[in-house]
Amino acid sequence: MDFSLTPEQLAWREKIKKFTREQIIPRTDLDICNHFPMDLYELAFEVGLITGAIPQEYGGSGKTYFDLILAAEELGYGDLGVATSALLMKLATGALLAFGSSEQKTRWLKTLTPKLTFASHAWTEPEGSSNMLGRPATTTATPVEGGYLLNGIKSTITNASVASLYTVFARVLPEPDGLTCFMVSRNSSGLQVTRPYQKMGQRASDTGEITFKDVFVPIHDRVGEIGQGVQIGMRAIRASRVGIAAMAIGVAKRARDLAKVYGHTHFASNAQALIYQQDFRLKLAQMEAEIEMVRALTWRACWEVENGPEGMKFSSCAKLIGGDMAVRVTNVAAELLGAQGYLQSGLIEKLVRDAKVLQIYEGTATIQKMIIADTTARLGELKYK
Ligand SMILES: Cc1cc2nc3c(=O)[nH]c(=O)nc-3n(C[C@H](O)[C@H](O)[C@H](O)COP(=O)(O)OP(=O)(O)OC[C@H]3O[C@@H](n4cnc5c(N)ncnc54)[C@H](O)[C@@H]3O)c2cc1C
């Protein structure tokens, strides 16, 4: 086991740390203005963040999966919304990279790399996301000559309003169930994107809805086989969930640091700084221990997804424990800062709001537990009876 980073990894992490410090942290508009800060994403594109998941042969910056995990932690420290939107390419192109033909990869990925461009992963429907495996998808693909006609709605889709390419999961008719994966251009006739949703947090990230009305998708834009969509979707999301755990570490570190600064600059009734009060210190210690626990789990999950036999289980463990940890740590930090933890000016309240969705998107905590239980609850071979 070697936890040390290579000189290249250290340099990359330093680059993203600098980007976070100089370009994200000073921005006071990210939360309150409710807009998509395209200028900031342009800068993120320039440092290689937006296309990090795309290999260099297609024009991307070709970062390793672990590089992206390191970047997620740094960006999460700065702004979770920016982290979500800037790194979404990993999820949005995951299906294409793992299951697309070389012709499909070349044709689509090369459209995403010459300039700032976004892609989305369109799985969720207004009827639900967690239940997509247990009910017929309402987004359908009707076979027609040369391709399919897509009809339906995909809701709460990250980067929907700004993306030029969508990875869409739909049910091929007349099948009663099953999912099939398609690459769909934003320019397709019949495709409409509605205005982004207003959200509790992560407001620098775009979340929108896509409507398909007889959208023609040529047969060569179907990824994988008919009915292979669940396998394809799960493969993409298991890698992305580990990124969420890394973002959780970032936001928790930010909350911890704000609490530390407050503790050093505010005093208890015994005239000593709060940082010397036992309760304050023990809360900080608990935060630190939880942050380290999630990082260890996240790095292991990253390794498992790429090399090990237990990628699905570990990515769900990291997402579950990471999301819960971020919510807990930001909430404890809010208490430690007293009124400042509740006021907008104190920043912690934003971190609390931003962190909440880490427990929800890409599968709620309950869904992660169900995935983990799938392997853990198997009887297998017991040593002791
Ligand atoms: C900001 C944001 C960005 C998003 N981005 C994307 C995106 O890019 N692409 C995309 O496809 N989706 C996206 N989503 C959707 C997200 O993945 C889903 O909201 C999430 O998976 C939860 O699904 P749901 O909303 O359908 O809730 P539901 O699945 O309806 O869950 C509601 C509640 O029921 C519980 N529940 C569900 N099933 C069971 C069960 N079998 N047993 C017990 N309890 C259960 C859940 O845990 C939860 O508490 C995004 C959502 C948000 C908020």
Side-chain angles (χ1 to χ4, degrees), residues 144-156:
V144 292
E145 199 184 333
Y148 301 87
L149 287 182
L150 285 193
N151 280 288
I153 299 174
K154 292 290 177 181
S155 55
T156 58

Side-chain angles (χ1 to χ4, degrees), residues 84 88 91 120-132 135 154-160 167 169 197 199 201-202 205-208 237 241 357 359-368 370:
T84 295
L88 189 84
L91 177 62
S120 291
H121 176 91
W123 170 279
T124 302
E125 300 178 340
E127 294 78 10
S129 178
S130 328
N131 59 8
M132 281 283 281
R135 65 173 172 84
K154 292 290 177 181
S155 55
T156 58
I157 305 301
T158 300
N159 291 350
T167 300
F169 296 85
Y197 303 95
K199 304 195 295 290
Q202 296 210 8
S205 173
D206 174 271
T207 319
I237 210 160
R241 282 175 179 150
V357 79
Q359 293 177 310
I360 298 172
Y361 61 11
E362 297 194 21
T364 60
T366 302
I367 297 304
Q368 306 312 322
M370 286 164 67

Side-chain angles (χ1 to χ4, degrees), residues 111-283:
T111 66
L112 299 174
T113 52
K115 61 180 176 49
L116 176 64
T117 312
F118 296 93
S120 291
H121 176 91
W123 170 279
T124 302
E125 300 178 340
E127 294 78 10
S129 178
S130 328
N131 59 8
M132 281 283 281
L133 307 186
R135 65 173 172 84
T138 53
T139 305
T140 57
T142 308
V144 292
E145 199 184 333
Y148 301 87
L149 287 182
L150 285 193
N151 280 288
I153 299 174
K154 292 290 177 181
S155 55
T156 58
I157 305 301
T158 300
N159 291 350
S161 332
V162 291
S164 63
L165 179 64
Y166 304 104
T167 300
V168 181
F169 296 85
R171 175 167 57 100
V172 172
L173 293 175
E175 295 298 325
D177 47 35
L179 288 171
T180 302
C181 178
F182 301 93
M183 302 312 298
V184 185
S185 163
R186 166 77 171 261
N187 298 328
S188 308
S189 164
L191 188 152
Q192 259 201 330
V193 180
T194 56
R195 280 163 56 89
Y197 303 95
Q198 303 293 304
K199 304 195 295 290
M200 171 181 179
Q202 296 210 8
R203 293 174 179 164
S205 173
D206 174 271
T207 319
E209 187 168 286
I210 316 160
T211 304
F212 305 88
K213 209 165 172 222
D214 287 336
V215 173
F216 178 71
V217 182
I219 197 155
H220 58 254
D221 285 337
R222 191 189 77 211
V223 176
E225 300 302 320
I226 293 174
Q228 208 185 358
V230 171
Q231 184 195 356
I232 294 175
M234 291 302 115
R235 174 83 171 262
I237 210 160
R238 102 187 157 168
S240 183
R241 282 175 179 150
V242 185
I244 294 178
M247 285 158 50
I249 303 167
V251 72
K253 276 167 45 187
R254 183 83 179 276
R256 176 207 61 192
D257 287 354
L258 290 170
K260 253 200 290 199
V261 170
Y262 191 86
H264 277 281
T265 52
H266 291 75
F267 294 84
S269 51
N270 62 6
Q272 276 191 332
L274 283 170
I275 200 80
Y276 298 114
Q277 309 306 312
Q278 192 177 49
D279 181 60
F280 201 99
R281 294 172 78 78
L282 298 187
K283 284 196 168 86

